Amino acid sequence: MKATFFSLLFIGFLFTSCNGQTEKQYESIAPTAFADKIKATPNAQIIDVRSPEEFAGQHLDNAVNINWNGDDFDGKVSKYDKKKPVFVYCMSGGRSTKAAEKLKELGFKTIYELQGGIMKWNAAGLSIPSDKIIGMCSQEYQELLKTAKKVLVDFYAEWCAPCKKMTPYLLKMQKEMADKVTIVRLNADENKTLINQLKIDELPTLLLYQNNEVIWKHSGYLSEEDLTKQLQ
């Protein structure tokens, strides 16, 4: 009798766990799958939750800009059909994750979030090719690397939380370690050509060069202690 009771409890636990996994708040999908679903959806509802300035710089075809950090996000998205799929994205995934959760809370049934945002989209080669150079060109970038010292290039953005956290000690190290390492900080939003050419799909991204060759790469937050070890 006890065995039967515990067996039922175990089955119930599995059922709950499985349900918890299937009842996801939204579906975060890779760029290619995101593009395919948009193509397969007539009159797709595509929402870009970045700032108007970011939207003006680049956005997906037929996307509408509703700034997550702007006024009345809830009211603006309420005009959309909650029964039809809605596609949401930002620059790297932080804001779109929050927006997708809010859309689910507001009653939208099918929500697709672009995993990794526009950065992953561009790195996957899905953006429309352009001859226009935005920011530093590859020749100028190569000039930065022509030094006997190691060169650390930090690709960051003002909206990136980990970047903000790392900024104080990167600026400090830029001065204190100037005799050993040249530390160059490049704003990703202002250097989109380089970002695409180097296929950088996450911020911050740190590239350490020696003799014009990448000897170390890291994406995401890194503590001051761990970064110091890499530069010694």
Side-chain angles (χ1 to χ4, degrees), residues 91-123:
M91 191 64 181
S92 64
R95 286 168 287 182
S96 60
T97 296
K98 295 175 183 176
E101 290 171 350
K102 172 58 70 173
L103 289 169
K104 184 67 178 180
E105 182 183 315
L106 292 172
F108 285 82
K109 303 302 180 184
T110 306
I111 305 159
Y112 297 112
E113 188 246 351
L114 176 57
Q115 193 178 84
I118 283 287
M119 295 199 72
K120 290 279 187 183
W121 178 274
N122 291 340

PDB file of all heavy atoms in Angstrom, residues 91-123:
ATOM      1  N   MET A  91      18.548  44.329 -28.646  1.00  0.00           N
ATOM      2  CA  MET A  91      19.921  44.298 -29.163  1.00  0.00           C
ATOM      3  C   MET A  91      20.639  42.999 -28.828  1.00  0.00           C
ATOM      4  O   MET A  91      21.282  42.397 -29.661  1.00  0.00           O
ATOM      5  CB  MET A  91      20.714  45.488 -28.607  1.00  0.00           C
ATOM      6  CG  MET A  91      22.050  45.698 -29.286  1.00  0.00           C
ATOM      7  SD  MET A  91      21.819  46.116 -31.031  1.00  0.00           S
ATOM      8  CE  MET A  91      23.530  46.270 -31.569  1.00  0.00           C
ATOM      9  N   SER A  92      20.500  42.546 -27.574  1.00  0.00           N
ATOM     10  CA  SER A  92      21.219  41.327 -27.189  1.00  0.00           C
ATOM     11  C   SER A  92      20.376  40.354 -26.361  1.00  0.00           C
ATOM     12  O   SER A  92      20.870  39.297 -25.981  1.00  0.00           O
ATOM     13  CB  SER A  92      22.490  41.688 -26.409  1.00  0.00           C
ATOM     14  OG  SER A  92      22.161  42.337 -25.197  1.00  0.00           O
ATOM     15  N   GLY A  93      19.126  40.708 -26.052  1.00  0.00           N
ATOM     16  CA  GLY A  93      18.245  39.770 -25.364  1.00  0.00           C
ATOM     17  C   GLY A  93      17.749  40.191 -23.998  1.00  0.00           C
ATOM     18  O   GLY A  93      16.771  39.637 -23.497  1.00  0.00           O
ATOM     19  N   GLY A  94      18.390  41.180 -23.384  1.00  0.00           N
ATOM     20  CA  GLY A  94      17.984  41.580 -22.040  1.00  0.00           C
ATOM     21  C   GLY A  94      16.599  42.195 -21.976  1.00  0.00           C
ATOM     22  O   GLY A  94      15.729  41.757 -21.221  1.00  0.00           O
ATOM     23  N   ARG A  95      16.370  43.192 -22.786  1.00  0.00           N
ATOM     24  CA  ARG A  95      15.072  43.889 -22.783  1.00  0.00           C
ATOM     25  C   ARG A  95      13.962  43.032 -23.391  1.00  0.00           C
ATOM     26  O   ARG A  95      12.818  43.064 -22.928  1.00  0.00           O
ATOM     27  CB  ARG A  95      15.198  45.215 -23.544  1.00  0.00           C
ATOM     28  CG  ARG A  95      15.957  46.286 -22.789  1.00  0.00           C
ATOM     29  CD  ARG A  95      16.312  47.462 -23.668  1.00  0.00           C
ATOM     30  NE  ARG A  95      17.377  47.125 -24.607  1.00  0.00           N
ATOM     31  CZ  ARG A  95      17.910  47.988 -25.486  1.00  0.00           C
ATOM     32  NH1 ARG A  95      17.450  49.235 -25.545  1.00  0.00           N
ATOM     33  NH2 ARG A  95      18.883  47.625 -26.294  1.00  0.00           N
ATOM     34  N   SER A  96      14.300  42.267 -24.437  1.00  0.00           N
ATOM     35  CA  SER A  96      13.264  41.449 -25.082  1.00  0.00           C
ATOM     36  C   SER A  96      12.785  40.324 -24.172  1.00  0.00           C
ATOM     37  O   SER A  96      11.620  39.915 -24.234  1.00  0.00           O
ATOM     38  CB  SER A  96      13.781  40.872 -26.407  1.00  0.00           C
ATOM     39  OG  SER A  96      14.912  40.059 -26.217  1.00  0.00           O
ATOM     40  N   THR A  97      13.659  39.835 -23.301  1.00  0.00           N
ATOM     41  CA  THR A  97      13.251  38.815 -22.330  1.00  0.00           C
ATOM     42  C   THR A  97      12.189  39.375 -21.393  1.00  0.00           C
ATOM     43  O   THR A  97      11.155  38.740 -21.144  1.00  0.00           O
ATOM     44  CB  THR A  97      14.470  38.335 -21.512  1.00  0.00           C
ATOM     45  OG1 THR A  97      15.403  37.685 -22.389  1.00  0.00           O
ATOM     46  CG2 THR A  97      14.049  37.351 -20.427  1.00  0.00           C
ATOM     47  N   LYS A  98      12.430  40.578 -20.891  1.00  0.00           N
ATOM     48  CA  LYS A  98      11.465  41.222 -19.995  1.00  0.00           C
ATOM     49  C   LYS A  98      10.168  41.533 -20.738  1.00  0.00           C
ATOM     50  O   LYS A  98       9.072  41.364 -20.199  1.00  0.00           O
ATOM     51  CB  LYS A  98      12.065  42.501 -19.415  1.00  0.00           C
ATOM     52  CG  LYS A  98      13.263  42.268 -18.503  1.00  0.00           C
ATOM     53  CD  LYS A  98      13.878  43.584 -18.063  1.00  0.00           C
ATOM     54  CE  LYS A  98      15.117  43.358 -17.202  1.00  0.00           C
ATOM     55  NZ  LYS A  98      15.774  44.646 -16.838  1.00  0.00           N
ATOM     56  N   ALA A  99      10.307  41.988 -21.983  1.00  0.00           N
ATOM     57  CA  ALA A  99       9.128  42.323 -22.781  1.00  0.00           C
ATOM     58  C   ALA A  99       8.293  41.086 -23.077  1.00  0.00           C
ATOM     59  O   ALA A  99       7.059  41.126 -23.023  1.00  0.00           O
ATOM     60  CB  ALA A  99       9.560  42.989 -24.084  1.00  0.00           C
ATOM     61  N   ALA A 100       8.975  39.964 -23.369  1.00  0.00           N
ATOM     62  CA  ALA A 100       8.258  38.716 -23.657  1.00  0.00           C
ATOM     63  C   ALA A 100       7.482  38.245 -22.429  1.00  0.00           C
ATOM     64  O   ALA A 100       6.345  37.776 -22.537  1.00  0.00           O
ATOM     65  CB  ALA A 100       9.252  37.642 -24.107  1.00  0.00           C
ATOM     66  N   GLU A 101       8.086  38.389 -21.261  1.00  0.00           N
ATOM     67  CA  GLU A 101       7.401  38.001 -20.026  1.00  0.00           C
ATOM     68  C   GLU A 101       6.176  38.886 -19.796  1.00  0.00           C
ATOM     69  O   GLU A 101       5.122  38.416 -19.360  1.00  0.00           O
ATOM     70  CB  GLU A 101       8.376  38.118 -18.851  1.00  0.00           C
ATOM     71  CG  GLU A 101       9.482  37.053 -18.879  1.00  0.00           C
ATOM     72  CD  GLU A 101      10.559  37.300 -17.838  1.00  0.00           C
ATOM     73  OE1 GLU A 101      10.558  38.398 -17.226  1.00  0.00           O
ATOM     74  OE2 GLU A 101      11.406  36.415 -17.658  1.00  0.00           O
ATOM     75  N   LYS A 102       6.316  40.159 -20.107  1.00  0.00           N
ATOM     76  CA  LYS A 102       5.196  41.092 -19.947  1.00  0.00           C
ATOM     77  C   LYS A 102       4.076  40.771 -20.946  1.00  0.00           C
ATOM     78  O   LYS A 102       2.889  40.795 -20.594  1.00  0.00           O
ATOM     79  CB  LYS A 102       5.678  42.536 -20.138  1.00  0.00           C
ATOM     80  CG  LYS A 102       4.568  43.579 -20.178  1.00  0.00           C
ATOM     81  CD  LYS A 102       3.710  43.572 -18.921  1.00  0.00           C
ATOM     82  CE  LYS A 102       4.449  44.091 -17.710  1.00  0.00           C
ATOM     83  NZ  LYS A 102       3.550  44.236 -16.533  1.00  0.00           N
ATOM     84  N   LEU A 103       4.438  40.433 -22.177  1.00  0.00           N
ATOM     85  CA  LEU A 103       3.447  40.086 -23.190  1.00  0.00           C
ATOM     86  C   LEU A 103       2.645  38.856 -22.757  1.00  0.00           C
ATOM     87  O   LEU A 103       1.429  38.797 -22.941  1.00  0.00           O
ATOM     88  CB  LEU A 103       4.133  39.813 -24.534  1.00  0.00           C
ATOM     89  CG  LEU A 103       4.715  41.041 -25.242  1.00  0.00           C
ATOM     90  CD1 LEU A 103       5.590  40.625 -26.414  1.00  0.00           C
ATOM     91  CD2 LEU A 103       3.600  41.971 -25.715  1.00  0.00           C
ATOM     92  N   LYS A 104       3.333  37.882 -22.165  1.00  0.00           N
ATOM     93  CA  LYS A 104       2.651  36.692 -21.670  1.00  0.00           C
ATOM     94  C   LYS A 104       1.685  37.069 -20.557  1.00  0.00           C
ATOM     95  O   LYS A 104       0.538  36.610 -20.512  1.00  0.00           O
ATOM     96  CB  LYS A 104       3.681  35.674 -21.159  1.00  0.00           C
ATOM     97  CG  LYS A 104       3.078  34.351 -20.718  1.00  0.00           C
ATOM     98  CD  LYS A 104       2.489  33.582 -21.891  1.00  0.00           C
ATOM     99  CE  LYS A 104       1.940  32.236 -21.461  1.00  0.00           C
ATOM    100  NZ  LYS A 104       1.373  31.477 -22.602  1.00  0.00           N
ATOM    101  N   GLU A 105       2.144  37.946 -19.678  1.00  0.00           N
ATOM    102  CA  GLU A 105       1.311  38.421 -18.565  1.00  0.00           C
ATOM    103  C   GLU A 105       0.078  39.161 -19.063  1.00  0.00           C
ATOM    104  O   GLU A 105      -0.998  39.089 -18.462  1.00  0.00           O
ATOM    105  CB  GLU A 105       2.164  39.358 -17.692  1.00  0.00           C
ATOM    106  CG  GLU A 105       1.477  39.904 -16.466  1.00  0.00           C
ATOM    107  CD  GLU A 105       2.368  40.875 -15.719  1.00  0.00           C
ATOM    108  OE1 GLU A 105       3.560  40.559 -15.527  1.00  0.00           O
ATOM    109  OE2 GLU A 105       1.871  41.956 -15.346  1.00  0.00           O
ATOM    110  N   LEU A 106       0.212  39.839 -20.202  1.00  0.00           N
ATOM    111  CA  LEU A 106      -0.890  40.610 -20.769  1.00  0.00           C
ATOM    112  C   LEU A 106      -1.862  39.757 -21.576  1.00  0.00           C
ATOM    113  O   LEU A 106      -2.868  40.260 -22.074  1.00  0.00           O
ATOM    114  CB  LEU A 106      -0.343  41.735 -21.650  1.00  0.00           C
ATOM    115  CG  LEU A 106       0.408  42.856 -20.925  1.00  0.00           C
ATOM    116  CD1 LEU A 106       1.059  43.801 -21.923  1.00  0.00           C
ATOM    117  CD2 LEU A 106      -0.520  43.625 -19.991  1.00  0.00           C
ATOM    118  N   GLY A 107      -1.540  38.482 -21.728  1.00  0.00           N
ATOM    119  CA  GLY A 107      -2.477  37.577 -22.381  1.00  0.00           C
ATOM    120  C   GLY A 107      -2.143  37.135 -23.790  1.00  0.00           C
ATOM    121  O   GLY A 107      -2.948  36.454 -24.434  1.00  0.00           O
ATOM    122  N   PHE A 108      -0.969  37.477 -24.283  1.00  0.00           N
ATOM    123  CA  PHE A 108      -0.572  37.001 -25.612  1.00  0.00           C
ATOM    124  C   PHE A 108      -0.315  35.496 -25.547  1.00  0.00           C
ATOM    125  O   PHE A 108       0.338  35.002 -24.628  1.00  0.00           O
ATOM    126  CB  PHE A 108       0.676  37.743 -26.096  1.00  0.00           C
ATOM    127  CG  PHE A 108       0.392  39.150 -26.538  1.00  0.00           C
ATOM    128  CD1 PHE A 108       0.303  40.192 -25.613  1.00  0.00           C
ATOM    129  CD2 PHE A 108       0.193  39.441 -27.881  1.00  0.00           C
ATOM    130  CE1 PHE A 108       0.030  41.490 -26.016  1.00  0.00           C
ATOM    131  CE2 PHE A 108      -0.083  40.746 -28.293  1.00  0.00           C
ATOM    132  CZ  PHE A 108      -0.168  41.760 -27.359  1.00  0.00           C
ATOM    133  N   LYS A 109      -0.820  34.782 -26.536  1.00  0.00           N
ATOM    134  CA  LYS A 109      -0.781  33.317 -26.495  1.00  0.00           C
ATOM    135  C   LYS A 109       0.522  32.718 -27.028  1.00  0.00           C
ATOM    136  O   LYS A 109       1.043  31.757 -26.477  1.00  0.00           O
ATOM    137  CB  LYS A 109      -1.962  32.749 -27.297  1.00  0.00           C
ATOM    138  CG  LYS A 109      -3.327  33.228 -26.817  1.00  0.00           C
ATOM    139  CD  LYS A 109      -3.562  32.880 -25.357  1.00  0.00           C
ATOM    140  CE  LYS A 109      -4.940  33.359 -24.888  1.00  0.00           C
ATOM    141  NZ  LYS A 109      -5.144  33.105 -23.445  1.00  0.00           N
ATOM    142  N   THR A 110       1.035  33.276 -28.124  1.00  0.00           N
ATOM    143  CA  THR A 110       2.239  32.726 -28.749  1.00  0.00           C
ATOM    144  C   THR A 110       3.275  33.829 -28.911  1.00  0.00           C
ATOM    145  O   THR A 110       3.056  34.795 -29.647  1.00  0.00           O
ATOM    146  CB  THR A 110       1.919  32.119 -30.134  1.00  0.00           C
ATOM    147  OG1 THR A 110       0.868  31.161 -29.992  1.00  0.00           O
ATOM    148  CG2 THR A 110       3.145  31.440 -30.719  1.00  0.00           C
ATOM    149  N   ILE A 111       4.382  33.684 -28.197  1.00  0.00           N
ATOM    150  CA  ILE A 111       5.411  34.723 -28.186  1.00  0.00           C
ATOM    151  C   ILE A 111       6.752  34.114 -28.564  1.00  0.00           C
ATOM    152  O   ILE A 111       7.203  33.137 -27.954  1.00  0.00           O
ATOM    153  CB  ILE A 111       5.531  35.370 -26.788  1.00  0.00           C
ATOM    154  CG1 ILE A 111       4.173  35.894 -26.325  1.00  0.00           C
ATOM    155  CG2 ILE A 111       6.570  36.480 -26.793  1.00  0.00           C
ATOM    156  CD1 ILE A 111       4.071  36.075 -24.829  1.00  0.00           C
ATOM    157  N   TYR A 112       7.394  34.698 -29.569  1.00  0.00           N
ATOM    158  CA  TYR A 112       8.728  34.266 -29.977  1.00  0.00           C
ATOM    159  C   TYR A 112       9.711  35.401 -29.703  1.00  0.00           C
ATOM    160  O   TYR A 112       9.525  36.528 -30.162  1.00  0.00           O
ATOM    161  CB  TYR A 112       8.758  33.919 -31.467  1.00  0.00           C
ATOM    162  CG  TYR A 112       7.866  32.756 -31.845  1.00  0.00           C
ATOM    163  CD1 TYR A 112       6.735  32.961 -32.636  1.00  0.00           C
ATOM    164  CD2 TYR A 112       8.144  31.468 -31.396  1.00  0.00           C
ATOM    165  CE1 TYR A 112       5.907  31.897 -32.979  1.00  0.00           C
ATOM    166  CE2 TYR A 112       7.321  30.401 -31.728  1.00  0.00           C
ATOM    167  CZ  TYR A 112       6.207  30.617 -32.520  1.00  0.00           C
ATOM    168  OH  TYR A 112       5.379  29.562 -32.850  1.00  0.00           O
ATOM    169  N   GLU A 113      10.745  35.092 -28.926  1.00  0.00           N
ATOM    170  CA  GLU A 113      11.765  36.087 -28.603  1.00  0.00           C
ATOM    171  C   GLU A 113      13.053  35.729 -29.333  1.00  0.00           C
ATOM    172  O   GLU A 113      13.462  34.565 -29.350  1.00  0.00           O
ATOM    173  CB  GLU A 113      11.997  36.118 -27.094  1.00  0.00           C
ATOM    174  CG  GLU A 113      12.903  37.244 -26.626  1.00  0.00           C
ATOM    175  CD  GLU A 113      14.218  36.743 -26.051  1.00  0.00           C
ATOM    176  OE1 GLU A 113      14.360  35.520 -25.868  1.00  0.00           O
ATOM    177  OE2 GLU A 113      15.103  37.571 -25.797  1.00  0.00           O
ATOM    178  N   LEU A 114      13.680  36.722 -29.955  1.00  0.00           N
ATOM    179  CA  LEU A 114      14.914  36.496 -30.699  1.00  0.00           C
ATOM    180  C   LEU A 114      16.071  36.294 -29.737  1.00  0.00           C
ATOM    181  O   LEU A 114      16.500  37.223 -29.059  1.00  0.00           O
ATOM    182  CB  LEU A 114      15.197  37.680 -31.634  1.00  0.00           C
ATOM    183  CG  LEU A 114      16.518  37.633 -32.417  1.00  0.00           C
ATOM    184  CD1 LEU A 114      16.625  36.368 -33.255  1.00  0.00           C
ATOM    185  CD2 LEU A 114      16.646  38.877 -33.294  1.00  0.00           C
ATOM    186  N   GLN A 115      16.563  35.085 -29.686  1.00  0.00           N
ATOM    187  CA  GLN A 115      17.653  34.715 -28.783  1.00  0.00           C
ATOM    188  C   GLN A 115      18.940  35.463 -29.164  1.00  0.00           C
ATOM    189  O   GLN A 115      19.434  35.339 -30.271  1.00  0.00           O
ATOM    190  CB  GLN A 115      17.878  33.210 -28.882  1.00  0.00           C
ATOM    191  CG  GLN A 115      18.748  32.602 -27.817  1.00  0.00           C
ATOM    192  CD  GLN A 115      18.823  31.100 -28.021  1.00  0.00           C
ATOM    193  OE1 GLN A 115      19.611  30.599 -28.802  1.00  0.00           O
ATOM    194  NE2 GLN A 115      17.963  30.366 -27.334  1.00  0.00           N
ATOM    195  N   GLY A 116      19.439  36.265 -28.242  1.00  0.00           N
ATOM    196  CA  GLY A 116      20.676  37.004 -28.516  1.00  0.00           C
ATOM    197  C   GLY A 116      20.477  38.306 -29.265  1.00  0.00           C
ATOM    198  O   GLY A 116      21.428  39.047 -29.515  1.00  0.00           O
ATOM    199  N   GLY A 117      19.222  38.595 -29.641  1.00  0.00           N
ATOM    200  CA  GLY A 117      18.904  39.868 -30.263  1.00  0.00           C
ATOM    201  C   GLY A 117      19.550  40.128 -31.618  1.00  0.00           C
ATOM    202  O   GLY A 117      20.019  39.223 -32.304  1.00  0.00           O
ATOM    203  N   ILE A 118      19.565  41.410 -31.982  1.00  0.00           N
ATOM    204  CA  ILE A 118      20.115  41.841 -33.268  1.00  0.00           C
ATOM    205  C   ILE A 118      21.584  41.411 -33.419  1.00  0.00           C
ATOM    206  O   ILE A 118      22.043  41.129 -34.524  1.00  0.00           O
ATOM    207  CB  ILE A 118      19.997  43.377 -33.398  1.00  0.00           C
ATOM    208  CG1 ILE A 118      18.555  43.772 -33.746  1.00  0.00           C
ATOM    209  CG2 ILE A 118      20.934  43.917 -34.457  1.00  0.00           C
ATOM    210  CD1 ILE A 118      18.148  43.455 -35.173  1.00  0.00           C
ATOM    211  N   MET A 119      22.312  41.360 -32.319  1.00  0.00           N
ATOM    212  CA  MET A 119      23.726  40.985 -32.408  1.00  0.00           C
ATOM    213  C   MET A 119      23.883  39.566 -32.937  1.00  0.00           C
ATOM    214  O   MET A 119      24.711  39.292 -33.804  1.00  0.00           O
ATOM    215  CB  MET A 119      24.403  41.136 -31.044  1.00  0.00           C
ATOM    216  CG  MET A 119      24.463  42.559 -30.551  1.00  0.00           C
ATOM    217  SD  MET A 119      25.705  42.813 -29.274  1.00  0.00           S
ATOM    218  CE  MET A 119      27.206  42.690 -30.241  1.00  0.00           C
ATOM    219  N   LYS A 120      23.077  38.640 -32.426  1.00  0.00           N
ATOM    220  CA  LYS A 120      23.116  37.261 -32.917  1.00  0.00           C
ATOM    221  C   LYS A 120      22.584  37.181 -34.346  1.00  0.00           C
ATOM    222  O   LYS A 120      23.074  36.400 -35.166  1.00  0.00           O
ATOM    223  CB  LYS A 120      22.283  36.355 -32.001  1.00  0.00           C
ATOM    224  CG  LYS A 120      22.866  36.112 -30.615  1.00  0.00           C
ATOM    225  CD  LYS A 120      23.928  35.048 -30.638  1.00  0.00           C
ATOM    226  CE  LYS A 120      24.372  34.703 -29.208  1.00  0.00           C
ATOM    227  NZ  LYS A 120      25.475  33.713 -29.191  1.00  0.00           N
ATOM    228  N   TRP A 121      21.562  37.987 -34.642  1.00  0.00           N
ATOM    229  CA  TRP A 121      20.973  38.039 -35.978  1.00  0.00           C
ATOM    230  C   TRP A 121      22.042  38.430 -37.012  1.00  0.00           C
ATOM    231  O   TRP A 121      22.199  37.793 -38.046  1.00  0.00           O
ATOM    232  CB  TRP A 121      19.833  39.052 -35.962  1.00  0.00           C
ATOM    233  CG  TRP A 121      19.125  39.287 -37.260  1.00  0.00           C
ATOM    234  CD1 TRP A 121      19.490  40.167 -38.239  1.00  0.00           C
ATOM    235  CD2 TRP A 121      17.922  38.652 -37.721  1.00  0.00           C
ATOM    236  NE1 TRP A 121      18.586  40.130 -39.279  1.00  0.00           N
ATOM    237  CE2 TRP A 121      17.617  39.207 -38.988  1.00  0.00           C
ATOM    238  CE3 TRP A 121      17.068  37.700 -37.182  1.00  0.00           C
ATOM    239  CZ2 TRP A 121      16.501  38.826 -39.725  1.00  0.00           C
ATOM    240  CZ3 TRP A 121      15.940  37.309 -37.916  1.00  0.00           C
ATOM    241  CH2 TRP A 121      15.666  37.868 -39.168  1.00  0.00           C
ATOM    242  N   ASN A 122      22.795  39.487 -36.705  1.00  0.00           N
ATOM    243  CA  ASN A 122      23.844  39.945 -37.616  1.00  0.00           C
ATOM    244  C   ASN A 122      24.973  38.932 -37.737  1.00  0.00           C
ATOM    245  O   ASN A 122      25.490  38.677 -38.828  1.00  0.00           O
ATOM    246  CB  ASN A 122      24.401  41.294 -37.144  1.00  0.00           C
ATOM    247  CG  ASN A 122      23.402  42.430 -37.301  1.00  0.00           C
ATOM    248  OD1 ASN A 122      22.448  42.323 -38.069  1.00  0.00           O
ATOM    249  ND2 ASN A 122      23.602  43.507 -36.580  1.00  0.00           N
ATOM    250  N   ALA A 123      25.360  38.345 -36.596  1.00  0.00           N
ATOM    251  CA  ALA A 123      26.443  37.365 -36.600  1.00  0.00           C
ATOM    252  C   ALA A 123      26.071  36.127 -37.413  1.00  0.00           C
ATOM    253  O   ALA A 123      26.934  35.452 -37.975  1.00  0.00           O
ATOM    254  CB  ALA A 123      26.805  36.962 -35.171  1.00  0.00           C
TER     255      ALA A 123
END
